[in-house]
Amino acid sequence: MVASPIPDGGLRLAIPRGNLFAETLDVLAMVGFDVAELRKNDRKLVFEVGPGRTIITTRPSDVPTYVEYGAADAGIVGKDVLMECRRNVYELLDLGFGKCRIVFATPADRDPEAEELRHLGSMRVATKYPRITREYFEGRGKQVEVIELRGSMELAPQVDLAEGIVDLTATGATLRENNLVERAEIAVCATRLIANRVSHKLKANLVDELARRLKEVVRG
Amino acid sequence: MKVIPIPAGTKDILPSEAAELRQLEVVARRVFGSFGYGEVVTPTLETGTALAAAGERRFGDSFRLSGQEGEVLYLRPEMTTPIARLVATKLADREPPFRLCYFANSFRPTKPQRGRQSEFMQAGVELIGMDSPAVDAEVLGVLCQVLESCGLEDFAVGLGESSFFRALLDSAGVTSEERGSIFETLVKRDRVRLGAVVDGLDLSDDDKQAIMDVTGLRGGSEVLTRAQDLVRAPAMDEALKRLARTFYLVSRYGYAGRILFDLGMFRNFDYYTGIVFEVYSSGLGFPIGGGGRYDGLLARFGRPAPAVGFAIGLDRLHIAVTERGGMPVSGRPGVALVDGLDAALELASRLRDSGAAVFSLPEGTGAGQALDAAAAAGLSFAALPQEGGFLLLDQSGGRELVSAERLIGALTGEAS
């Protein structure tokens, strides 16, 4: 066997702070990462979690950016983020947890098709996923005006900012509370393991080993 | 300061960086030349006819503008197609093989957030008219020698053979439509989706596993052994033998330690027909360059011929080289000479004739200002005319009153 041209220098993993954080740590603990300090310290951003193992914590939507540029070799992030940001990274494994759906929803008492006609063949849709929304409706030959919001999409139809919303839903409770009805499921998303395209080659053994062990745990 | 923008994805390059980039070019040109590659220069603009011959996929998103007659012109997005056009037309009456190289800026609209410039400098070669592992090995040898000569220490060349995977799909009986959906997931590097697509095909479990295995197969020479176990058709065996032979020949150039096998490498698979390769360096999250064998392209220009080549992104190579310790300084000696525009003009000329650089400053420029000007121009000395000679200053604080002859000697390293 020929020695690798470049010593691997360890693995740096980017993980999202936010609602996937706790489950991500649970899974990493199961494959032997020492995550005790990550559970305790919510201000620190970079953690040494074993020989040659570093974890960096970022906003969920920044994880693919760190990985694409090689600032992290691998990352853990929701498929919804990957669909929206389209970074050039390897998607290696579906980790199964953090499952949710991206849906199109409108007020229960209104028919979106009629709304479309009323708005000269177009409809306003509020979302934090402008790309996914645009592509979904374009793929169906429907015109929409995408209104980009950062939070609480459910509010938009109630104050007539938009006729409908495209948003994540886990249980559907928030939709119901706000008198919204799911009209279409756009995608089902779970958390994924991603890798930088150069690290995937230069650190093949480390990346594959991490993927293999994560797979054993989540499929166990 | 008035803000005057430049187009997105472009950059202004200042003298120190430009000097380093040109230095990389000089090194690459010398290596290309030593293998007999002749430099060609083609128009920055191409017509739609040339690009249509190469196929929409390679040019669909190019920058375009309109010519005098209203015809659409394209800013070249890469150099392989212009060279294929040149070989099929301008070299039509000459016999291959052709060894050609280029140094050129190419243009591609920046895909938002992709870490890529819209205008980028490339250095590359195309070897046209020969097809064998030995030819592929030469091109890989040229590539490695350029990178080493440029001072890039930690690089690896990922090497794949596109016909291996193609032969596997053939032997498994995968339809062209199914191929399309497999390739789509490979382009997106989405192995999760690839797994789902392959799972849904009407294939034996063995074949399904082989597709997943091959697309993830990469590493040292043990990859060749593991790939041997996946061979299920003579064409696969042939592809593997070819790859092993290429590797053996690359080792005779002295670069075996640079090769990282990657049978799952997919670069424009509708274009590359044999080996494919990419250059990686540990400081950089993107490949520095890449290439492969493309035996089908020349036929589209009416002159069928096998071809293999690569392009190196000079900006990326520069980043990778400077990331680790920087470029060797190869600056020539020089001086910022006060009054070199007039009273000391003859001295300036004599200094230039003996190989030193002279940055002339107007009469009356002060010592501090002259040293600053020297530093900004990358020169080690400043000199001011004085009673009885010149005050010679260096960047580390040294000052000495010298004669004109001594000044020339100090700058050219000759004893006066």
Side-chain angles (χ1 to χ4, degrees):
Chain A
M1 178 181 157
V2 177
S4 169
I6 301 177
D8 62 45
L11 194 78
R12 193 182 291 172
L13 182 69
I15 65 171
R17 293 228 180 236
N19 54 6
L20 295 173
F21 192 57
E23 267 178 297
T24 300
L25 293 183
D26 291 346
V27 169
L28 288 175
M30 282 187 253
V31 299
F33 282 73
D34 177 10
V35 297
E37 195 190 355
L38 279 108
R39 293 190 201 276
K40 282 183 291 197
N41 193 334
D42 61 359
R43 292 190 175 265
K44 205 171 153 183
L45 301 172
V46 182
F47 300 84
E48 302 298 331
V49 291
R53 285 173 164 181
T54 308
I55 288 181
I56 60 177
T57 57
T58 77
R59 267 175 74 108
S61 58
D62 290 342
V63 168
T65 310
Y66 280 85
V67 174
E68 184 185 39
Y69 282 84
D73 299 305
I76 289 176
V77 65
K79 176 65 178 169
D80 58 312
V81 173
L82 290 169
M83 285 172 71
E84 183 60 31
C85 72
R86 285 274 183 77
R87 293 282 174 177
N88 193 349
V89 295
Y90 277 93
E91 294 179 41
L92 296 178
L93 188 64
D94 191 319
L95 295 169
F97 67 86
K99 198 162 260 182
C100 54
R101 302 182 307 129
I102 300 179
V103 301
F104 171 53
T106 62
D109 49 0
R110 272 196 266 166
D111 178 359
E113 295 297 333
E115 292 290 348
E116 272 191 76
L117 291 175
R118 191 167 68 77
H119 285 273
L120 305 170
S122 182
M123 165 172 53
R124 295 169 302 171
V125 178
T127 185
K128 63 172 170 175
Y129 300 109
R131 173 180 273 169
I132 294 170
T133 303
R134 213 167 281 126
E135 283 176 4
Y136 172 78
F137 285 104
E138 267 170 18
R140 274 150 192 79
K142 291 184 179 176
Q143 294 190 73
V144 291
E145 180 184 338
V146 175
I147 297 174
E148 198 176 339
L149 297 177
R150 294 298 163 91
S152 303
M153 306 307 135
E154 313 78 42
L155 176 61
Q158 296 178 38
V159 296
D160 201 29
L161 173 62
E163 277 73 54
I165 66 169
V166 166
D167 201 9
L168 277 187
T169 174
T171 60
T174 312
L175 291 180
R176 277 191 301 277
E177 275 168 27
N178 289 280
N179 196 32
L180 292 165
V181 173
E182 177 184 328
R183 305 287 179 180
E185 177 182 279
I186 296 176
V188 180
C189 302
T191 310
R192 288 196 172 187
L193 174 68
I194 62 175
N196 171 265
R197 53 189 292 211
V198 172
S199 301
H200 184 253
K201 310 303 180 191
L202 294 182
K203 303 184 179 184
N205 289 336
L206 292 176
V207 171
D208 285 0
E209 173 71 6
L210 177 64
R212 189 183 60 74
R213 293 170 65 178
L214 283 171
K215 191 172 178 178
E216 280 171 11
V217 168
V218 301
R219 304 280 157 83
Chain B
M1 188 183 65
K2 195 170 170 189
V3 177
I4 305 170
I6 59 173
T10 65
K11 70 183 279 196
D12 292 318
I13 300 172
L14 303 182
S16 55
E17 187 183 354
E20 292 182 349
L21 282 164
R22 295 306 177 200
Q23 180 60 25
L24 294 176
E25 250 186 59
V26 165
V27 172
R29 187 175 280 112
R30 193 183 70 230
V31 174
F32 292 169
S34 74
F35 281 84
Y37 288 80
E39 184 171 345
V40 291
V41 180
T42 70
T44 308
L45 297 172
E46 289 280 341
T47 66
T49 321
L51 303 193
E56 170 70 15
R57 247 199 93 237
R58 286 178 80 70
F59 294 100
D61 62 352
S62 303
F63 284 110
R64 53 200 76 181
L65 48 150
S66 51
Q68 302 286 357
E69 319 274 311
E71 75 278 24
V72 179
L73 299 172
Y74 296 80
L75 276 171
R76 61 180 174 217
E78 46 91 47
M79 280 298 290
T80 302
T81 302
I83 288 178
R85 173 188 54 69
L86 177 147
V87 166
T89 55
K90 306 296 157 50
L91 299 181
D93 55 352
R94 295 200 210 161
E95 282 303 305
F98 303 111
R99 281 184 170 83
L100 303 173
C101 69
Y102 58 84
F103 298 86
N105 286 17
S106 295
F107 306 83
R108 262 173 234 162
T110 316
K111 301 248 163 51
Q113 311 178 327
R114 205 150 147 212
R116 169 190 255 174
Q117 296 287 101
S118 285
E119 178 176 15
F120 47 98
M121 304 168 74
Q122 287 185 313
V125 304
E126 312 291 348
L127 203 171
I128 294 160
M130 292 200 287
D131 172 20
S132 75
V135 169
D136 293 350
E138 177 189 294
V139 168
L140 289 163
V142 173
L143 174 67
C144 291
Q145 192 173 329
V146 166
L147 297 171
E148 281 197 356
S149 304
C150 285
L152 187 63
E153 277 159 23
D154 57 342
F155 72 89
V157 177
L159 176 64
E161 167 61 58
S162 52
S163 60
F164 185 75
F165 187 60
R166 210 169 277 135
L168 169 64
L169 296 184
D170 286 343
S171 82
V174 175
T175 68
S176 70
E177 196 177 313
E178 292 166 344
R179 241 167 247 243
S181 48
I182 288 177
F183 285 153
E184 196 190 322
T185 65
L186 291 171
V187 169
K188 290 185 178 157
R189 303 179 205 282
D190 186 348
R191 285 187 66 74
V192 178
R193 176 96 192 109
L194 172 69
V197 166
V198 169
D199 224 32
L201 298 181
D202 184 21
L203 301 176
S204 70
D205 285 351
D206 225 30
D207 283 339
K208 288 179 183 176
Q209 192 55 48
I211 291 174
M212 293 309 290
D213 286 349
V214 171
T215 51
L217 196 49
R218 62 209 192 284
S221 55
E222 78 278 5
V223 163
L224 294 180
T225 321
R226 279 159 64 198
Q228 200 62 52
D229 297 338
L230 296 166
V231 166
R232 56 197 61 213
M236 291 178 77
D237 195 42
E238 232 163 82
L240 216 49
K241 282 208 177 96
R242 211 185 138 105
L243 188 59
R245 172 94 184 133
T246 304
F247 176 63
Y248 165 68
L249 287 156
V250 169
S251 76
R252 285 174 53 195
Y253 283 95
Y255 298 118
R258 296 294 185 182
I259 300 296
L260 202 65
F261 290 96
D262 185 359
L263 288 171
M265 185 184 299
F266 299 94
R267 291 169 57 86
N268 305 335
F269 34 73
D270 54 350
Y271 174 76
Y272 287 113
T273 53
I275 58 161
V276 284
F277 50 92
E278 281 182 347
V279 180
Y280 310 115
S281 177
S282 56
L284 213 58
F286 309 89
I288 292 171
R293 173 162 288 285
Y294 54 99
D295 289 346
L297 181 66
L298 272 290
R300 297 190 184 198
F301 289 90
R303 188 181 195 187
V308 59
F310 66 76
I312 299 171
L314 282 172
D315 316 82
R316 290 187 182 183
L317 175 59
H318 180 243
I319 295 171
V321 170
T322 48
E323 187 100 335
R324 302 270 164 146
M327 301 263 306
V329 181
S330 65
R332 50 202 272 205
V335 62
L337 182 60
V338 174
D339 219 0
L341 288 165
D342 189 349
L345 188 152
E346 283 75 19
L347 174 64
S349 297
R350 284 179 63 201
L351 281 164
R352 290 189 187 106
D353 286 347
S354 48
V358 180
F359 187 96
S360 290
L361 292 167
E363 181 190 2
T365 307
Q369 221 180 329
L371 266 178
D372 288 349
L379 307 175
S380 8
F381 297 100
L384 294 82
Q386 299 273 301
E387 277 291 321
F390 292 85
L391 181 62
L392 182 62
L393 308 160
D394 66 32
Q395 299 291 352
S396 49
R399 47 198 301 149
E400 193 186 351
L401 187 66
V402 297
S403 68
E405 297 308 315
R406 279 275 315 245
L407 179 60
I408 294 172
L411 278 162
T412 55
E414 292 157 17
S416 52

